[in-house]
Amino acid sequence: MGRTRFHKGHGTRNDFILVSDPEGLKPLTPEFVRRIADRRGGIGADGVIRAVRSGAVGDWDGDPNIWFMDYHNADGSVAEMCGNGLRVFARYLLQQQLVDTLEFDVATRAGVKHVEAHNHTISAQIGRAMVAGDSVRVDAGGRAWDATPVDVGNPHAVAFVASEELPALDLQHAPVWEPAERFPEGVNLEFAVVEGPDRLAMRVYERGVGETQSCGTGVVAVAAAYRAQHPGEGPVAVRVPGGDLRVDFRPEGAVLTGPAEIVGDGQFWY
C-alpha cells in the first residue's frame, strides 16, 4: 500500500489533481494517473499535474530553477500543454508559496509560459495559435462538419456549427475525423457557435479524456479560428459549459484569462 499527497483544483470546471515532486523522484506512470483520475475508483479529474523543478526533467535544457508542469491526461497519456491546467498550476504554486511574485514563468512541454495572478483570475501566456489553411471533416454522432486545424502547442480542430446544433451534439462517444492521418496522435475537437461580435460559445471533446466542461487551449484555438475569419484587435470572450474565459491576442501570442482555484487536498491510498 502506498500513499500520495494531492491537491485538487479547477479552472471553469476543467479539474485537475496536483502532486508535488520537486526533485523529480516520483515520475507519474500511466497506471497511477488512470487510478487517481478515475471518478469512481479514485479522486477524479480531467488530468494530473506533477510539480517538478525543471532541472530534474531529463530532456529540459532551459532554466533549471523554474517549475515544470508535467501534465498527463486522465487516460495516462502525456500531453504537451493544457491552458486551464497551466492556470490552476499557477494558483497552486502561489497558494503553496512555491513562488514569491504574482508574475512568473512556468516550463511546459510546449515551452516556457508566463503567468500573472489577479484578484480572482489567472492570465496565462499560451503562445501563438497557428491556424492551418486546410480542413478536416469531423463526424460526431452521425453529423459532420468541416473543421479548421489549429496548433496551440497541442493539436486542435475547430468546427463552427449552428446555434441549435451545439446543445444537441452527441459527445458521449469520440468523434472521428477524415483524413485520419492528419492527426496521427489524436486531436482535441472543438464545436463553436458565434453568439455575437467577439462572443463565442463552445463544447469540446479532449483527446485522452472525453467531453470536458472547459479546455483552455481549445478556447484559444476557437478564438484564433474566429479571428482568422473576423479580423480585429479586441479580446474574444468564450463561454464554455464550466464558465467564461477571455482570449487576448498580443504580439507575443495568445493570453488566456479566467478563474482558477484550489478546492481541497488530501491523501490518495493505492
Side-chain angles (χ1 to χ4, degrees):
M1 182 74 71
R3 60 182 176 179
T4 296
R5 183 89 177 172
F6 72 90
H7 285 74
K8 180 75 181 288
H10 77 96
T12 52
R13 300 182 67 84
N14 194 189
D15 60 341
F16 309 93
I17 294 165
L18 303 107
V19 297
S20 179
D21 181 24
E23 304 303 322
L25 302 177
K26 300 178 181 179
L28 297 176
T29 65
E31 179 186 22
F32 175 80
V33 170
R34 288 192 293 268
R35 291 185 66 178
I36 196 172
D38 189 293
R39 295 196 180 276
R40 296 188 183 276
I43 304 304
D46 293 326
V48 179
I49 302 171
R50 181 177 65 127
V52 57
R53 286 289 186 185
S54 295
V57 178
D59 55 355
W60 181 258
D61 59 1
D63 185 343
N65 296 313
I66 62 176
W67 288 99
F68 185 91
M69 184 182 81
D70 179 23
Y71 182 74
H72 297 246
N73 293 315
D75 69 349
S77 60
V78 175
E80 300 90 344
M81 233 283 288
C82 174
N84 284 326
L86 175 60
R87 296 186 308 101
V88 172
F89 184 62
R91 181 68 75 194
Y92 167 79
L93 295 178
L94 286 162
Q95 188 189 75
Q96 296 300 301
Q97 300 181 339
L98 298 174
V99 292
D100 56 9
T101 64
L102 295 179
E103 293 187 50
F104 51 92
D105 289 337
V106 171
T108 76
R109 292 186 178 85
V112 175
K113 308 298 180 183
H114 189 72
V115 297
E116 180 177 347
H118 314 286
N119 285 339
H120 303 293
T121 62
I122 298 281
S123 294
Q125 182 189 65
I126 304 300
R128 296 191 180 279
M130 308 299 292
V131 180
D134 62 332
S135 65
V136 295
R137 191 71 173 168
V138 174
D139 185 303
R143 308 173 78 173
W145 300 266
D146 289 330
T148 301
V150 183
D151 185 343
V152 192
N154 56 359
H156 296 264
V158 177
F160 286 97
V161 305
S163 58
E164 66 273 12
E165 292 178 310
L166 191 64
L169 276 173
D170 176 14
L171 296 183
Q172 293 296 312
H173 304 92
V176 295
W177 61 91
E178 294 181 352
E181 59 270 18
R182 180 63 173 81
F183 299 107
E185 297 182 358
V187 63
N188 302 287
L189 297 166
E190 286 81 31
F191 302 87
V193 167
V194 179
E195 295 189 321
D198 298 347
R199 290 192 300 108
L200 311 174
M202 64 167 263
R203 291 173 64 188
V204 57
Y205 190 97
E206 290 194 57
R207 63 173 180 171
V209 185
E211 183 177 14
T212 58
Q213 295 289 292
S214 180
C215 173
T217 53
V219 165
V220 171
V222 166
Y226 170 80
R227 267 286 170 258
Q229 299 177 12
H230 304 84
E233 297 182 355
V236 178
V238 182
R239 178 173 58 85
V240 295
D244 298 296
L245 292 157
R246 189 186 79 229
V247 180
D248 293 271
F249 291 100
R250 300 175 183 172
E252 65 272 19
V255 175
L256 178 70
T257 299
E261 58 181 303
I262 304 300
V263 298
D265 64 10
Q267 293 184 71
F268 176 62
W269 295 76
Y270 60 95

